[in-house]
Amino acid sequence: MERDRGGDTVGHGGGDDADVCVVGAGPVGLTLAIGLRRLGLGVRIVDRAPETKREARALVLWARAREALDALGVGALLDAHGVELGAVTVHARGRALGELTTGWARSAFARPLNVEQHVIERLLAGELARLGTRVEWNTEVTDVKAHEDRAEFTLRHGDGGIETGSAPWIVGCEGTRSVVRDRLGIAFEGRRRTGLQVVQGNALPTWPLEEEPRRCSTHMTRSSG
């Protein structure tokens, strides 16, 4: 029989009955939490942000990511909110340089799926809530102490309240400035790339898109700075 220690955990005093505390409610943390809940484990997930993101960030889900998300039961949900990409036309300095086609991957999801990261996060958070665990927003992990049988952590809530909790496992999914990784002494290997920028903007196209909804156009420019 599958055990279920999920409970509907949210707010102060989430308790020490969770098997895993996930720190960071981005796509990675939410995906992990959904997978753990489907295994019947109790999960607590916290994030210092007030809510899911609203601004544009990542855009494309590739074949392996789509396979993994489909295995967790959210593939159809994401498909309903995205558009499969068939071709990309690359432009630079006012002229077309060429075209990249998709569909060659050896996968049931041969084409990448265009769906904004903030939409993915909202959908995954909703699925996780359906499984009995809601994200504790405005909740920041400020310290972590590892023991042989558990991890103790300190949380600071949005109203200034401080809480101490513990779980057999804690997983840091909060990015390059991870408090979990820092407190556990795990190095972040690599270095920051300099001179590389990607600027995203909300552009309003003046040409019709209805006939080719799966076509994307990428325009590149070189900074004078």
Side-chain angles (χ1 to χ4, degrees), residues 139-201:
T139 304
E140 180 182 7
V141 171
T142 60
D143 197 17
V144 176
K145 295 180 180 179
H147 303 276
E148 290 186 357
D149 60 342
R150 71 193 188 284
E152 293 183 346
F153 45 87
T154 303
L155 303 174
R156 180 168 58 225
H157 296 278
D159 60 5
I162 302 297
E163 176 193 350
T164 299
S166 67
W169 295 90
I170 186 168
V171 184
C173 302
E174 75 272 47
T176 58
R177 297 181 177 88
S178 171
V179 172
V180 175
R181 187 180 61 249
D182 178 72
R183 297 298 189 273
L184 297 181
I186 302 173
F188 179 74
E189 298 181 1
R191 59 185 177 83
R192 183 181 295 274
R193 287 284 301 272
T194 59
L196 177 64
Q197 288 186 321
V198 176
V199 179
Q200 291 179 288

Side-chain angles (χ1 to χ4, degrees), residues 8-20:
D8 191 354
T9 60
V10 66
H12 289 226
D16 294 339
D17 58 345
D19 298 293
V20 184

Side-chain angles (χ1 to χ4, degrees), residues 17-190:
D17 58 345
D19 298 293
V20 184
C21 177
V22 177
V23 183
V28 174
L30 290 167
T31 300
L32 173 63
I34 290 172
L36 294 171
R37 286 295 299 119
R38 290 195 178 279
L39 292 173
L41 297 176
V43 179
R44 185 174 188 185
I45 180 168
V46 301
D47 197 297
R48 65 180 182 179
E51 59 182 1
T52 56
K53 299 177 184 65
R54 292 178 177 270
E55 71 277 8
R57 293 201 175 190
L59 176 64
V60 181
L61 287 176
W62 298 93
R64 186 65 189 101
R66 294 185 68 186
E67 290 171 355
L69 290 165
D70 187 65
L72 291 176
V74 295
L77 177 65
L78 295 173
D79 289 349
H81 290 80
V83 176
E84 283 194 335
L85 184 61
V88 179
T89 304
V90 182
H91 301 260
R93 298 184 178 181
R95 63 189 185 93
L97 300 182
E99 182 176 279
L100 306 174
T101 59
T102 69
W104 41 263
R106 295 179 180 178
S107 169
F109 305 96
R111 298 184 186 280
L113 184 71
N114 272 18
V115 54
E116 294 278 7
Q117 178 178 328
H118 64 279
V119 175
I120 295 174
E121 292 182 2
R122 175 174 56 82
L123 295 173
L124 293 182
E127 175 65 12
L128 183 60
R130 191 186 69 80
L131 294 172
T133 299
R134 286 181 283 169
V135 178
E136 297 177 53
W137 300 108
N138 283 311
T139 304
E140 180 182 7
V141 171
T142 60
D143 197 17
V144 176
K145 295 180 180 179
H147 303 276
E148 290 186 357
D149 60 342
R150 71 193 188 284
E152 293 183 346
F153 45 87
T154 303
L155 303 174
R156 180 168 58 225
H157 296 278
D159 60 5
I162 302 297
E163 176 193 350
T164 299
S166 67
W169 295 90
I170 186 168
V171 184
C173 302
E174 75 272 47
T176 58
R177 297 181 177 88
S178 171
V179 172
V180 175
R181 187 180 61 249
D182 178 72
R183 297 298 189 273
L184 297 181
I186 302 173
F188 179 74
E189 298 181 1

